[in-house]
Amino acid sequence: MQPSDIAPRDRLIVALDLPSVTKAEAMIARLGDSVTFYKIGYQLAFAGGLPLVRQLAGAGKKVFVDLKLHDIGNTVARGVESVAALGATFLTVHAYPQTMKAAVEARAGSDLKILAVTVLTSYDDGDLHAAGYRLGVSDLVEARAQQAQVLGVDGLVCSPEEAAALHKVVGHQMKLVTPGIRPAGSAAGDQKRIMTPARAISAGADYLVVGRPVMEAADPKAVAEAILAEIVQALA
Ligand code: C5P
């Protein structure tokens, strides 16, 4: 494993996949100091959750805004500037060259890092073909990862199973952020390609995104602490 500049505690990103700001604030209070990095996606953002980005950043937390932007360059750039002004740490965009280029240019001078989603993990070769692509998933992931690197994108969202292969393609400067994490014994839900926190770290994941195993736990703080302990142990 490569040495890393990321603090072990910051490697756990807890997805606040909740239907309301009230529920999100209650969860943040329960998790307290155990979680330093949160993800806000469609569900909470469209339920009035975007002001939480500024609130959390003001409280010293990091926030990953997972809105997977994709539009004409100018619109992407203006959106990225607004997300940067909220104090977010990560923002996702789809890995189309124009979109990535606009996002990288627009985040210049801020602390925001751009993550590219290469191919949605719910897509297989048949889905790409139906959408008019000639390449299969693995070739398209690799091509887009290379394009992202050339364009100066800061990191990629990928499955932990792809982490080792992707680090070989893009090196270790680009950070790999992996959902599909399940502590041993927790339910997979709709995730198909899953890994435990320890295995994902050993496979080269830089950041782990965990939603339901924490959100649905009887004791979310205990689950988050257990994941952190596993991360620390895997890094030792
Ligand atoms: O509940 P779970 O741990 O499966 O949550 C994973 C989080 O990561 C969700 O917020 C989901 O939207 C997100 N995600 C994902 N797969 C991707 C990209 C993001 O599961 N390829």
Side-chain angles (χ1 to χ4, degrees), residues 14-75:
V14 171
L16 285 170
D17 291 332
L18 294 166
S20 71
V21 173
T22 311
K23 287 201 162 97
E25 286 177 334
M27 180 59 75
I28 292 162
R30 283 187 84 177
L31 291 169
D33 290 341
S34 57
V35 174
T36 58
F37 212 146
Y38 285 103
K39 181 170 92 76
I40 295 179
Y42 285 178
Q43 185 185 23
L44 185 57
F46 298 149
L50 278 179
L52 274 178
V53 179
R54 187 169 274 142
Q55 216 170 297
L56 283 165
K61 307 286 185 189
K62 297 179 197 301
V63 188
F64 169 5
V65 175
D66 188 14
L67 291 180
K68 298 186 178 70
L69 304 189
H70 182 44
D71 206 311
I72 61 168
N74 180 63
T75 302

Side-chain angles (χ1 to χ4, degrees), residues 15 17 39 66 68 121 157 179-182 191 209-213:
D17 291 332
K39 181 170 92 76
D66 188 14
K68 298 186 178 70
T121 47
V157 178
I181 303 297
R182 289 292 178 269
Q191 297 283 15
V209 177
V210 185
R212 285 162 290 181

